[in-house]
Amino acid sequence: MPKSSSHKLLKALVALTLLVAVALGGWFWQRYEGFANTPIALAQSERILVVESGDGFQDILDKLRELGVHEGHDLEWKALAHEMKVVSRLQVGDYTIRHGITPAELLRKLERGDVIHYRFTLVEGWNLRELRAALARDERIRQTLADTDDAALMAALGREGVHPEGRFLPETYHYTRGMSDLDLLRRALLAMDKVLADAWEGRADDLPLETPDQLLTLASIIEKETGKASERPEIAGVFVRRLRLGMRLQTDPTVIYGMGSAYDGNIRRSDLTTDTPYNTYTRGGLPPTPIAMPGRAALEAAANPLPGNTLYFVSRGDGSHVFSSTLAEHNRAVACHQLKRCR
């Protein structure tokens, strides 16, 4: 073949190659652009993507595939992530993946850390044992305290030597997957510090209490005795008047707390006469520590009890109580509502 013909053929091949390359590049770019902004189709309305510590981009892609995300080749996802500069900036947590989200929107969501916020509710009246059990049951909370006793727990929270009962504020706390049980307890501890300090600061002038800890203990008893929220201030009034007069509080929840694991759901007359540091039938004044976690309302009631002259109360059996000023009135109320001998 003549040299000039060979040269022309080479130029033609180069031109053809360039043309094919441009066409392929244009096709790939068009496909890539379409991929980035094409809504993802999911069989269900939403799925949960769990990004864990140590997950690389390929791990996240694999999890998306398992959730039913079939759009785009892995190379397209990686190219998009590099273009958006998010490959190393995707955050740990649980993410809601909804039908119709685009790959670009999804990657931006992972970069921002728009994770699901879960709720943990610390219930008013729980004791520490119940609180720790509830934390241990929540699989989204990182468990670090399984082998930690109560004393070590308080030391880890910076409160070495402080009795833990009553120290955590009953509230609903929002958290993200991976928060530790210790971190959540620290939030509840600091929240109780603030609410207790506010209640102590705003307390009535003539309370027979010397410290915020005594207020916390009284509030815990009020919490356990209250079945009807509106009665908290009146129940507080009864206990405060008994403390002023030197009368024993004679409240069953303190006896039950002192029984510990021996309590089987029933409280007997013998239990009321068996002395423990928490038995307010055998001992005067407040017990040595709180017996539960009091909420805001119980703390406010303890700080500002309802004035009056009642010294006794007995349950009607529906959560409410009959309040009495004299022992004779109280005995009649007990006969009526506990023994069903109403006159």
Side-chain angles (χ1 to χ4, degrees):
M1 180 182 290
K3 188 175 181 179
S4 59
S5 297
S6 177
H7 184 67
K8 288 179 181 179
L9 179 59
L10 180 61
K11 289 177 65 177
L13 287 173
V14 170
L16 181 60
T17 300
L18 288 173
L19 183 62
V20 170
V22 169
L24 286 173
W27 174 82
F28 180 80
W29 179 255
Q30 191 173 35
R31 174 187 166 92
Y32 169 73
E33 283 288 293
F35 155 73
N37 299 295
T38 297
I40 292 171
L42 290 174
Q44 298 177 3
S45 58
E46 87 176 25
R47 302 289 181 87
I48 305 299
L49 171 66
V50 180
V51 178
E52 299 173 292
S53 178
D55 278 354
F57 192 76
Q58 186 61 53
D59 298 310
I60 297 173
L61 272 178
D62 293 342
K63 290 180 177 181
L64 284 172
R65 301 306 191 198
E66 291 173 3
L67 293 176
V69 176
H70 303 301
E71 284 78 7
H73 190 278
D74 284 8
L75 289 176
E76 291 177 302
W77 280 96
K78 291 174 181 177
L80 178 61
H82 280 288
E83 182 193 349
M84 296 174 65
K85 299 179 181 178
V86 301
V87 173
S88 61
R89 293 159 58 182
L90 306 184
Q91 300 190 43
V92 170
D94 290 6
Y95 295 84
T96 301
I97 310 300
R98 291 189 172 88
H99 174 82
I101 191 171
T102 69
E105 290 170 341
L106 174 54
L107 290 178
R108 196 62 74 191
K109 182 174 187 172
L110 296 176
E111 180 198 22
R112 289 194 305 265
D114 290 347
V115 296
I116 300 171
H117 286 79
Y118 297 102
R119 296 186 299 175
F120 178 84
T121 299
L122 199 168
V123 178
E124 294 173 342
W126 270 359
N127 59 35
L128 183 66
R129 183 179 65 257
E130 292 169 316
L131 169 55
R132 294 192 64 166
L135 282 171
R137 287 192 300 269
D138 195 324
E139 62 182 16
R140 293 179 292 254
I141 295 173
R142 182 162 51 87
Q143 305 296 325
T144 67
L145 300 172
D147 300 319
T148 305
D149 64 21
D150 293 347
L153 164 64
M154 295 306 287
L157 291 169
R159 303 293 174 87
E160 188 170 2
V162 175
H163 194 280
E165 197 66 81
R167 297 290 171 177
F168 306 96
L169 183 69
E171 251 184 17
T172 294
Y173 297 90
H174 292 83
Y175 69 95
T176 58
R177 178 183 287 274
M179 172 177 276
S180 74
D181 43 12
L182 186 65
D183 285 339
L184 198 149
L185 285 176
R186 183 175 287 107
R187 288 172 58 190
L189 175 72
L190 295 175
M192 178 59 88
D193 287 347
K194 176 66 167 59
V195 174
L196 177 59
D198 290 345
W200 182 251
E201 182 68 23
R203 71 190 184 282
D205 293 334
D206 57 347
L207 281 187
L209 305 174
E210 297 179 357
T211 66
D213 281 1
Q214 289 185 345
L215 179 68
L216 183 64
T217 298
L218 177 58
S220 74
I221 298 172
I222 295 165
E223 191 67 82
K224 294 300 289 185
E225 282 283 16
T226 302
K228 186 178 180 182
S230 61
E231 290 184 351
R232 284 193 182 98
E234 192 163 5
I235 289 173
V238 169
F239 288 136
V240 164
R241 283 186 286 277
R242 280 179 165 257
L243 287 171
R244 284 200 193 105
L245 294 170
M247 295 176 66
R248 292 178 180 175
L249 297 184
Q250 296 184 319
T251 170
D252 292 357
T254 62
V255 177
I256 292 169
Y257 187 83
M259 292 171 66
S261 60
Y263 178 64
D264 61 4
N266 295 307
I267 186 167
R268 303 167 181 83
R269 184 173 296 276
S270 60
D271 298 321
L272 301 180
T273 58
T274 300
D275 184 53
T276 75
Y278 291 88
N279 190 333
T280 52
Y281 285 83
T282 61
R283 300 195 182 196
L286 291 165
T289 73
I291 61 170
M293 313 290 171
R296 294 172 184 267
L299 286 160
E300 286 299 321
N304 292 281
L306 188 71
N309 57 6
T310 55
L311 292 170
Y312 307 88
F313 59 87
V314 63
S315 173
R316 287 191 175 94
D318 61 359
S320 65
H321 296 85
V322 176
F323 294 85
S324 304
S325 300
T326 68
L327 182 58
E329 290 175 358
H330 176 63
N331 287 338
R332 286 195 293 272
V334 170
C336 179
H337 296 285
Q338 297 293 309
L339 305 178
K340 307 303 179 186
R341 299 174 185 167
C342 296
R343 295 179 183 178

